[in-house]
Amino acid sequence: MEQVAVETTRQTEWVEITAKVQGLVSAGAITEGLCTVYVPHTTAGVTINENADPTVVSDFLNQINKVIPFDDSYRHGEGNAAAHIKSVLTGPSVSIPIADGRLQLGRWQGIFFCEYDGPRSRRALVQITA
Amino acid sequence: MEQVAVETTRQTEWVEITAKVQGLVSAGAITEGLCTVYVPHTTAGVTINENADPTVVSDFLNQINKVIPFDDSYRHGEGNAAAHIKSVLTGPSVSIPIADGRLQLGRWQGIFFCEYDGPRSRRALVQITA
Amino acid sequence: MEQVAVETTRQTEWVEITAKVQGLVSAGAITEGLCTVYVPHTTAGVTINENADPTVVSDFLNQINKVIPFDDSYRHGEGNAAAHIKSVLTGPSVSIPIADGRLQLGRWQGIFFCEYDGPRSRRALVQITA
């Protein structure tokens, strides 16, 4: 198992980690298999979406922050209940096929660490299986 | 790694691909393991839900189209910002256990390719690991 | 492949299954790999989030029940359309890295079976791959 470190700088923010994950795949011995990216945090997630136009990410963040408001009738005492909810809706893991030693991402796809309660020092775990 | 081709015919639509995915599992040598279905698109996703009553799918689409409206104060220029958001909320990958050479789907479950910006020619990647 | 039985007692409820899943990992021969938890139901899901403060779970349930109301203009005849929608938004599978024979969960993370149409007798499938 490998790790990718992520430093986030805003309360809600997606940080692209595609190159780091592909680097771990390239450094390993498995050329056909599965790459799972896992986030060991409860107020962050991981997803895959367009990495070409940054407004795709900002539109997602604006909309999810509207659907799941920062403040509502939450009972959780730390003030970050909304971040936990966004974390669940985003999901804690994604699995991407590997073929010929490459992540089989689509042309417009990037892997994003999804911060919902930053800024913080974070990490994503990467497990490559055959 | 294998592929399943999908032709979608509407803007938002779920297309069931269970039989095609099970066919790939049956054609392979692995009888115990994991089948991961991965969508290499940024305005589509993959999920598993009821395939018996088609109103389950239409209710999902009607509700997600209400929660994430086609038009809002989005900045992404291609007019499909909502499709990217629905893609993230649905997710890009699912992993299903294989036992005795069969996908271990529940009685009412089918695997659906989830189109949110169709109609288009699409594909899903299928990786089977032991 | 292994199974975890879950008895739910309310209409919407998350039941933690971390100890049972770790027990299956500990009982197996694989010390480095991937643990996939899969829910073979169409009105339930599986996720990973905070297991320390129970208000995190109740805040999630209150908010998702607000965003996806129990009653709306649904057409599905069984009265549980909202449960199917919440099931999709939560997701049917999660995959967690295993290292040194342990699930690599974060400090605050637990694995939750997510009931959206209970009470029912349920199960989660657990597949461990190397």
Side-chain angles (χ1 to χ4, degrees):
Chain A
M1 195 188 66
E2 304 288 342
Q3 293 194 32
V4 169
V6 180
E7 295 292 324
T8 63
T9 61
R10 283 174 284 178
Q11 185 176 15
T12 61
E13 173 185 19
W14 285 10
V15 178
E16 190 176 1
I17 58 173
T18 313
K20 288 180 178 176
V21 178
Q22 177 59 55
L24 294 172
V25 171
S26 300
I30 291 174
T31 57
E32 303 284 322
L34 202 62
C35 176
T36 298
V37 182
Y38 179 82
V39 165
H41 306 289
T42 61
T43 54
V46 59
T47 197
I48 293 171
N49 213 265
E50 181 177 327
N51 62 358
D53 179 354
T55 63
V56 168
V57 174
S58 61
D59 282 345
F60 180 88
L61 292 172
N62 288 337
Q63 195 68 18
I64 200 76
N65 292 342
K66 192 186 297 186
V67 174
I68 310 295
F70 288 102
D71 295 305
D72 207 328
S73 50
Y74 305 125
R75 293 165 52 214
H76 184 49
E78 297 177 51
N80 61 359
H84 289 286
I85 297 167
K86 294 169 204 169
S87 168
V88 172
L89 295 177
T90 304
S93 66
V94 293
S95 293
I96 308 146
I98 300 168
D100 300 323
R102 304 287 306 172
L103 293 167
Q104 297 298 297
L105 295 165
R107 168 189 286 215
W108 305 103
Q109 287 186 318
I111 308 168
F112 289 94
F113 182 96
C114 307
E115 173 65 83
Y116 297 123
D117 192 35
R120 296 207 201 193
S121 293
R122 302 287 207 170
R123 63 201 173 101
L125 310 182
V126 179
Q127 186 70 295
I128 299 167
T129 53
Chain B
M1 193 188 68
E2 305 286 344
Q3 293 195 31
V4 169
V6 180
E7 296 292 324
T8 62
T9 61
R10 281 173 285 178
Q11 185 175 15
T12 61
E13 173 185 17
W14 285 11
V15 178
E16 190 177 1
I17 58 172
T18 312
K20 288 180 177 176
V21 178
Q22 177 59 53
L24 294 172
V25 171
S26 299
I30 291 174
T31 57
E32 301 286 322
L34 201 63
C35 176
T36 298
V37 182
Y38 178 82
V39 166
H41 306 288
T42 60
T43 54
V46 59
T47 198
I48 292 170
N49 213 268
E50 180 177 327
N51 63 359
D53 178 354
T55 64
V56 169
V57 174
S58 61
D59 281 346
F60 179 87
L61 292 173
N62 287 338
Q63 194 68 17
I64 199 77
N65 292 342
K66 191 186 296 185
V67 174
I68 310 294
F70 288 102
D71 295 306
D72 206 327
S73 50
Y74 305 125
R75 293 165 53 212
H76 184 50
E78 297 176 48
N80 60 0
H84 289 286
I85 297 166
K86 293 168 204 168
S87 168
V88 171
L89 295 177
T90 304
S93 67
V94 293
S95 293
I96 309 145
I98 300 168
D100 300 322
R102 304 287 307 173
L103 293 167
Q104 296 300 297
L105 295 165
R107 169 188 287 217
W108 305 103
Q109 287 186 318
I111 308 168
F112 289 94
F113 182 96
C114 307
E115 174 66 82
Y116 297 122
D117 192 35
R120 298 206 201 193
S121 293
R122 302 286 208 173
R123 62 203 174 100
L125 310 183
V126 178
Q127 187 70 295
I128 299 167
T129 52
Chain C
M1 193 187 68
E2 303 288 343
Q3 294 194 32
V4 168
V6 180
E7 296 292 324
T8 63
T9 60
R10 282 173 285 178
Q11 185 176 16
T12 61
E13 173 184 19
W14 284 11
V15 178
E16 191 177 2
I17 58 173
T18 311
K20 288 181 177 176
V21 178
Q22 177 59 53
L24 294 173
V25 171
S26 300
I30 291 173
T31 56
E32 302 285 322
L34 202 62
C35 177
T36 298
V37 182
Y38 179 82
V39 166
H41 306 288
T42 61
T43 53
V46 59
T47 198
I48 292 170
N49 213 268
E50 180 176 329
N51 62 359
D53 179 353
T55 63
V56 168
V57 174
S58 60
D59 282 346
F60 179 88
L61 292 173
N62 288 338
Q63 195 68 17
I64 199 77
N65 292 341
K66 190 187 298 186
V67 174
I68 310 295
F70 288 103
D71 295 306
D72 206 328
S73 49
Y74 304 125
R75 293 165 52 212
H76 183 49
E78 296 176 50
N80 60 359
H84 288 285
I85 297 167
K86 293 168 204 168
S87 167
V88 171
L89 295 177
T90 305
S93 65
V94 293
S95 292
I96 308 145
I98 300 168
D100 300 322
R102 303 287 306 173
L103 294 167
Q104 296 300 297
L105 296 165
R107 167 189 288 218
W108 305 104
Q109 288 187 315
I111 309 169
F112 289 95
F113 182 96
C114 307
E115 174 66 81
Y116 297 123
D117 192 36
R120 297 204 200 195
S121 292
R122 302 286 209 172
R123 63 203 173 101
L125 310 183
V126 179
Q127 186 69 296
I128 299 167
T129 52

